[in-house]
Structures are given as structure tokens and as C-alpha cells.
Amino acid sequence: MVPSRISSLFEQSLPWQKLRQRLLENQQLTRVSGLVGSAQSLIISKIFLQQQRPMVCVMNDKETAAYLLNDLEGLLNQEHVLFYPGSYRRPYQIEEPDNNNVLMRSEVLTHLSSRKKPALIVTYPTALFEQVVTKKTLKQNTIKLKTGAQLDVEGLNELLFEAQFKRVDFVTEPGEFSLRGGIVDVFSFSNDHPYRLEFYEDTLESIREFDIETQLSIGLKNKISIIPDVEEKSRAVVRQSFLSYVGNEALVVVQDHAFILDQINGLFEKATQYYAQLESPLQWSAPEVLFCNKALFQQDLNAVDNLWLVPKSDTERQVNFDQSPKPSFNKQFNLLIDQINANHGHGMTTIICCGSEAQAKRFRDIFEDSTKDVKGYHIEVFSLHQGFVDKDQGIACYTDHEIFERYHKFKLKNGLAKKQAVSIKELSQWQIGDYVTHIDHGIGTFGGLQQIQVEGKTQEAIKLVYGDRDILYLSIHALHKIAKFNGKDGAVPKLYKLGSAAWKNLKTKTKKKVKEIAFNLIELYAKRRLQKGFAFGPDSYLQHELESSFLYEDTPDQTTATNDIKQDMESTQPMDRLVCGDVGFGKTEVAIRAAFKAVDNGKQVAVLVPTTILAFQHFKTFSKRLEDLPVSVDYLNRFRTAKE
């Protein structure tokens, strides 16, 4: 939920009132200047709430667009904000498209063509450079289904083939479908999850969304629309500019008109040169059909209502905001406190936006521990990308990551990321004869996928072969019970017979051994609990400063590990903890925080590492992180003299 102080910003601003009036009068062209940082996001969100019509924000590049998207997702309901990316990593070369981007593009086109509630679409020149299929073509290629419809499986199979869906054993990404008796799984390009369609004779009985990883149903659907890959460039279909797609009722926000036109034209020239060099160019005029040039883009831009956010203009249609960037504090809290008090002295209110409650608590603790009184500020748990100072409103808006000079990473929807390595896809890569472990029946060999009859219905099953050629058929819904066998390299495992007690006895012996180890560990830890250690004090404001100045946002695992270590250190029992993680996952940062906590409590800390080079690397890392804090850092290795 958006805090009231954030949502009410600009309500009394004279430039906003002027801009609002121009929009109500439906003025076709308005130039806005002076907006700084996330003030642009706040104004755009207010325009969208006021206008209640489709809105397209064209930013200069993907990164700027992504940061605007994140701001707007917080300020507005996420379902109203859509991202329209380019489908390719390189905008004019023939290569595999990014399926996740194609899915997001299809979602936007489907939303616009279905005349649903107005959406705010964020995009950038590379995405608009690609032309899209017309609404008529999209409608012709859309397969609409609803429960109770009279349709046989073979008929649907033909429709999907005509739409260029690929038939596979198991669907793992958009554009695929599988057929198993009376069940059809299909992954549309307009939905994050695939659909499972169940037929009885010639009637579609049920439609369910399901999770690829678990194969479990997510929810029932009464009707669906299956969208093929409308971005497929090999199709010689009529195409048009995306801006002409949104219709003349849309409001378009352009960050820098001249820059974006130059970007579009530059991309078009590169595409033309690229296609001219191909040994076997497409039979139809690819660049002109696939991509927009400067003239076409400008023509479509003139056909819709426009609000242009540009830095300079001398027209009477100009709306000027009196804003400036936030000052630089260089992680110095004395400077921040002095600036907040100076703002208060000038009748300005300071708002500090924090990305989490933990960051907000750090600010409160630091201000409370300060020797100076801090007046006229508010701390809000709400993430914005960039701060700003608005003199008209008397507001200074700062962000936690800018104060601490932390890297603020944008987040884009990536629903297909975890689906690239799901168990169902791994299963399709297994070879006949691979060893497989079943939790109930032991080690057997993989016999492939087979269709079997269960109560008169054809189902897909996994064939497992055991000792004495015993065969077990496992439903694909029980994949969690099997795993590929992992043993010593080159060692051939023993195949178990179905129904024998050998596997059961082995599991019993293993459980017994585990219990013995657990008993010994419990005994050891019972002795450790009787010992007393040094109890460190709670975190000081210096500890908060150190942790807040970390360049990146803490991962959930980093946060958990840090909190667990602090809890151990503040206990009277000796700490016994192992922090385990892969390379680059932030273990050193956790160690730095623990080391500083000890130093902050009057202790000395020795960090032991296995190599000479690593000792020097850690010395540089610790020195850099602790350079602004009252800590001495040095290192010892075999190159230091005895005196040193």
C-alpha cells in the first residue's frame, strides 16, 4: 500500500494543477520540464489515475524503462502496469528470441486487443522498433476455448500445428503442446503457466492451469485464449507499428522525443545493412516489413494524443517544475542530519523512502543515537528509484540506497527463469538404461516414457526396470519420488528386486546409523551448552551504518545468516556455526559484519584464510568496507618480516 505522504505529493503543486488542467482540456501536446528522479514516476501515476485511459511511456533505454516500471508498480496496482520489451537480445539480427520477452509482448498485445481495463505500458525504442502483427491477424491466430465446447482432440491437434506450436513429450516453455490420450497440455504465449485440457469423447470437460515443476493444478478456468508466437519473424504477415496498435485514444509519454527518433532511425539503418549482407535474405522485404523507421514512427506518434516529457522547450505549452537532484551525502550521517535540519529551517519537510522495514529501523536508530536533534523528517517504507527536491512543495525526498550509495537493481518479471531447469525437462533428457533411485523401491534403470491404460484412459507413465526384470510404471504426477542415481564414478550400483526386503533393510540400517551420529552430536552439544562465553552487546549505530552502506541489497540468505550469527554472538554460549555458500553469494560481507561487531565490543579479530593471495584480497576487501569506521585493518603472510 502506498503511504499517504507519498500518494499526496504534488496535490497542491501549481505546475501539477496546470498540467492537470491541460490534460482535462485534452490539449494534444504538452511539454514538461524540470522533473527530477522519481518525481517523474509520481506525476505519471497521477496522470494515469486521472485519465483512466491507455497510456504508453516511452523511455530512452531499457534500464530507465525498468526503473520507471518498478516505481509505477509500487504506486499503482501491478495488474495495471505492463512492460513491453524487445523480443530479441539484438534488435535486428536473426537469432533465438527471448521467450520470456515474447510472452510479455504477447501479454500487452492481448490486453490491448481485448479492450480490458486501461493499462499503463512502459517501453523503450528497441522494443518499438519491431513492428507487430495487426489486431486482425492476432484475432485470426487466437484459439479460444471454453469448457463444454464440442471439439475433439485431433481437431485441436491440427489447430495447434497450424498455429506453429511444437509437439513435445512434456511442455516446458511457450509455443509447445503435448498430447496424452484425452489430455492436452499447451503453453500459450499470453500466460505465465501452461493449460491442461481434459476431453471426454468430443467434449472439453475441464481447463486447468498447472505448474511445470510440480505438475500440480493451480486453478480452474472456464475459458481461455491460446496465443501463438506472434513475434515469429519468418511469417510473411501484415505488420504495423506498436503505436498505431494502441489507438488514438491513448496518451503517450515520451522522455526525449529527438533522442528516441534518432534511436529508431539508427536501428533501421543497421537492420537494412544487416539484411543486405545475408547470403540468403528473406524472400520479402524484411527491414521495411519487420521494423519501424523514423518517418513511420513519427507518423504514428502524431496520430495519438501526446504528453511529451522533454528537457527543453520554448513553447507556450510548457509546464515547468522547480526541482533539483538530492544532495550527495557520501554515506556521512552528520551531513545528512545537517541537511535535514537545514531543510526544516527553510520550511521544508524531508521524506526518507526505505526499501524495507529493516532499513527504516536503521535510520531511526542512527537518528536516536545522534548527539544532534533531528527535526522535520518522516521515514516511509516505500521503494523509489531516485530522490528529488521540490521547492514549490517544500519537499525533499531522499532514498535509502542513494544515501548509502548502494546499487539499486531493477526487477523485471521473469516467470520462465525457474522453468528452464525443471525436473520434467531433465526427465526428457534421461537415456534408456540410466540408473534411477526410487524412495520406496530402491535402484532400478530408466526404461523410457510409455503410454498405459488406467481405468480406460490413456496416461503417460515412466517405466522403471528392476532386478529379475521386474517393471514398475510410475505416474508423471509422482516425479518427486525418483531421482537420478548419484554414486562413485564408474561404480555400478546393485539393482533391487521389487517386493524384496533388501532396500527396506538398507534404509533401516542407514536410519540407525544416522540416529547414532545424531546421538553423538546431541551429547557433544549438551557439553558445549554448559560452557560460558563472552556475550556481545546489541548492534550500535556504527553497526547500522556499516550494514546500510553495503553496495547491494542483502539477499534473504544473507539476512538470515547475519541475524543468526548476531544472535549467537549476543548469547553467553560459545558460537559454533558454519556459513556455507557458493562463490559470489556474499559470505565475505557476512564475515565483515560479524568481525566489526566483535571490534565494536572492544575485541580483536583474526580472520584465517588458506592462501597468501586470499589473505591479501581479504585485507583489501575489509579495508575498503571499513575505511570510514574507527577500525585498524592489517594482514600477516609469509612475505611480512618478523618485525612487521
Side-chain angles (χ1 to χ4, degrees):
M1 186 175 178
V2 185
S4 58
R5 285 192 184 91
I6 303 297
S7 61
S8 62
L9 287 176
F10 297 105
E11 288 293 341
Q12 306 303 320
S13 168
L14 293 178
W16 160 245
Q17 297 293 341
K18 180 180 177 181
L19 176 59
R20 181 173 177 271
Q21 187 61 36
R22 289 190 61 81
L23 292 169
L24 288 173
E25 294 171 359
N26 203 25
Q27 298 285 347
Q28 188 179 19
L29 174 63
T30 302
R31 298 178 185 269
V32 181
S33 68
L35 288 175
V36 173
S38 290
Q40 180 175 259
S41 309
L42 290 160
I43 290 296
I44 288 173
S45 67
K46 287 185 176 296
I47 293 171
F48 179 71
L49 291 173
Q50 174 198 299
Q51 294 286 298
Q52 288 299 310
R53 58 172 167 162
M55 192 167 171
V56 180
C57 298
V58 186
M59 311 312 287
N60 287 353
D61 52 57
K62 183 178 181 180
E63 183 175 327
T64 309
Y67 282 123
L68 174 66
L69 176 82
N70 287 172
D71 279 353
L72 293 174
E73 285 176 335
L75 293 165
L76 303 166
N77 192 322
Q78 280 201 12
E79 67 180 20
H80 293 151
V81 185
L82 300 174
F83 189 60
Y84 187 72
S87 59
Y88 290 86
R89 292 180 179 86
R90 290 173 294 181
Y92 50 82
Q93 298 195 8
I94 299 173
E95 59 182 5
E96 284 297 317
D98 186 323
N99 269 340
N100 192 64
N101 286 357
V102 173
L103 193 149
M104 285 192 281
R105 287 172 66 90
S106 299
E107 182 182 15
V108 171
L109 296 181
T110 305
H111 187 99
L112 291 172
S113 63
S114 61
R115 299 177 182 243
K116 294 180 180 179
K117 292 181 179 179
L120 197 163
I121 299 159
V122 181
T123 186
Y124 52 97
T126 307
L128 296 180
F129 170 61
E130 299 177 51
Q131 295 199 56
V132 297
V133 297
T134 62
K135 289 185 179 181
K136 181 179 179 181
T137 303
L138 179 64
K139 185 176 181 180
Q140 289 173 344
N141 284 272
T142 300
I143 302 172
K144 294 187 176 182
L145 299 173
K146 62 180 180 179
T147 54
Q150 296 299 305
L151 176 69
D152 60 8
V153 174
E154 292 303 322
L156 179 59
N157 184 53
E158 291 180 11
L159 287 175
L160 292 173
F161 267 124
E162 289 175 4
Q164 298 188 2
F165 277 78
K166 180 182 177 183
R167 183 170 176 176
V168 294
D169 291 326
F170 298 98
V171 297
T172 58
E173 53 188 37
E176 296 179 342
F177 79 99
S178 68
L179 180 61
R180 299 188 300 277
I183 298 176
V184 179
D185 291 345
V186 59
F187 206 148
S188 168
F189 270 96
S190 60
N191 200 57
D192 289 339
H193 298 282
Y195 299 115
R196 177 158 291 156
L197 316 174
E198 295 188 22
F199 289 83
Y200 180 72
E201 294 181 349
D202 293 341
T203 303
L204 177 55
E205 280 199 324
S206 70
I207 303 172
R208 298 175 184 270
E209 277 186 301
F210 70 94
D211 185 88
I212 296 174
E213 194 166 357
T214 63
Q215 292 289 301
L216 298 178
S217 296
I218 297 174
L220 285 168
K221 295 281 185 180
N222 290 324
K223 57 182 180 179
I224 59 170
S225 295
I226 300 173
I227 309 293
D229 182 4
V230 294
E231 301 294 338
E232 177 57 55
K233 300 297 187 287
S234 63
R235 292 185 180 186
V237 296
V238 178
R239 294 176 182 272
Q240 63 186 72
S241 162
F242 175 76
L243 286 182
S244 64
Y245 207 97
V246 300
N248 57 8
E249 75 278 6
L251 185 66
V252 179
V253 177
V254 181
Q255 184 179 16
D256 190 325
H257 177 233
F259 176 83
I260 288 171
L261 283 178
D262 287 344
Q263 284 275 88
I264 295 288
N265 218 38
L267 288 168
F268 187 81
E269 289 174 4
K270 287 183 180 180
T272 304
Q273 294 170 7
Y274 175 79
Y275 277 90
Q277 294 172 0
L278 293 178
E279 293 182 4
S280 301
L282 300 176
Q283 296 301 312
W284 36 292
S285 184
E288 288 75 12
V289 175
L290 294 179
F291 307 123
C292 290
N293 58 19
K294 184 176 181 178
L296 177 61
F297 184 80
Q298 181 64 61
Q299 172 187 322
D300 290 326
L301 197 58
N302 292 337
V304 296
D305 295 337
N306 296 289
L307 167 72
W308 289 357
L309 300 180
V310 294
K312 296 178 181 178
S313 174
D314 54 1
T315 67
E316 60 180 11
R317 298 168 179 173
Q318 180 93 4
V319 175
N320 298 304
F321 286 82
D322 188 9
Q323 295 183 357
S324 60
K326 68 144 198 74
S328 178
F329 301 112
N330 298 317
K331 298 184 282 188
Q332 300 296 317
F333 278 92
N334 288 334
L335 294 178
L336 173 64
I337 291 170
D338 290 343
Q339 184 63 53
I340 292 174
N341 287 332
N343 292 342
H344 181 67
H346 290 98
M348 297 181 68
T349 302
T350 301
I351 298 175
I352 300 177
C353 292
C354 298
S356 65
E357 183 59 49
Q359 281 289 74
K361 184 178 184 302
R362 286 172 184 165
F363 274 101
R364 295 188 191 102
D365 292 342
I366 290 168
F367 291 159
E368 287 174 6
D369 291 341
S370 173
T371 56
K372 301 178 182 178
D373 290 334
V374 190
K375 299 178 180 179
Y377 75 92
H378 300 284
I379 297 175
E380 299 289 354
V381 181
F382 188 78
S383 180
L384 285 176
H385 174 50
Q386 282 185 327
F388 57 90
V389 177
D390 190 294
K391 297 174 184 176
D392 288 332
Q393 293 188 99
I395 291 291
C397 183
Y398 305 152
T399 64
D400 60 331
H401 53 269
E402 287 182 300
I403 292 171
F404 292 119
E405 297 181 356
R406 300 175 68 183
Y407 177 66
H408 188 228
K409 185 178 181 181
F410 61 78
K411 298 175 183 177
L412 295 177
K413 184 174 73 171
N414 194 14
L416 295 177
K418 71 172 184 176
K419 300 178 177 70
Q420 299 303 320
V422 295
S423 56
I424 198 76
K425 194 167 187 177
E426 291 174 358
L427 179 65
S428 65
Q429 296 172 354
W430 287 3
Q431 303 295 321
I432 303 294
D434 285 350
Y435 292 107
V436 178
T437 303
H438 190 292
I439 191 171
D440 297 324
H441 303 291
I443 301 169
T445 59
F446 180 62
L449 301 172
Q450 292 193 2
Q451 291 185 347
I452 60 174
Q453 293 291 323
V454 179
E455 296 181 354
K457 290 187 176 182
T458 303
Q459 292 190 9
E460 198 85 25
I462 302 155
K463 181 181 179 181
L464 300 178
V465 182
Y466 285 86
D468 291 346
R469 296 188 178 182
D470 290 343
I471 294 176
L472 172 71
Y473 289 103
L474 181 74
S475 168
I476 61 168
H477 301 295
L479 289 177
H480 60 281
K481 290 193 172 186
I482 62 172
K484 198 167 184 179
F485 172 77
N486 289 316
K488 294 181 180 179
D489 291 341
V492 179
K494 176 185 176 182
L495 292 183
Y496 289 88
K497 293 197 305 181
L498 289 178
S500 72
W503 177 250
K504 184 178 180 181
N505 293 338
L506 179 62
K507 288 203 298 183
T508 302
K509 290 179 182 178
T510 304
K511 288 178 181 177
K512 182 179 179 182
K513 192 65 177 176
V514 170
K515 286 181 180 179
E516 289 178 5
I517 295 172
F519 177 80
N520 293 335
L521 285 173
I522 291 170
E523 188 177 34
L524 174 65
Y525 277 91
K527 292 177 181 178
R528 288 181 62 85
R529 287 183 69 88
L530 297 176
Q531 297 180 358
K532 295 293 181 182
F534 179 81
F536 293 87
D539 289 353
S540 68
Y541 77 96
L542 288 174
Q543 184 80 28
H544 291 308
E545 279 194 33
L546 170 68
E547 296 180 10
S548 300
S549 65
F550 186 44
L551 185 61
Y552 305 98
E553 183 180 348
D554 289 3
T555 66
D557 289 338
Q558 270 184 312
T559 302
T560 301
T562 302
N563 292 338
D564 288 347
I565 288 172
K566 287 180 182 177
Q567 187 176 351
D568 284 355
M569 293 178 71
E570 293 171 11
S571 169
T572 57
Q573 295 171 11
M575 181 165 68
D576 180 25
R577 183 172 293 278
L578 171 70
V579 177
C580 183
D582 210 338
V583 175
F585 275 53
K587 300 185 298 296
T588 304
E589 174 63 23
V590 175
I592 289 172
R593 296 178 185 183
F596 181 77
K597 186 175 180 69
V599 173
D600 197 25
N601 280 260
K603 299 293 184 181
Q604 287 185 319
V605 176
V607 180
L608 305 181
V609 296
T611 66
T612 301
I613 294 176
L614 199 57
F616 183 71
Q617 288 177 341
H618 274 62
F619 164 70
K620 299 291 285 185
T621 303
F622 273 68
S623 299
K624 179 66 176 175
R625 284 289 285 122
L626 301 174
E627 63 181 352
D628 297 325
L629 296 165
V631 181
S632 297
V633 183
D634 210 334
Y635 73 103
L636 288 173
N637 64 19
R638 60 193 174 93
F639 297 117
R640 306 303 290 268
T641 65
K643 183 179 179 180
E644 289 173 328

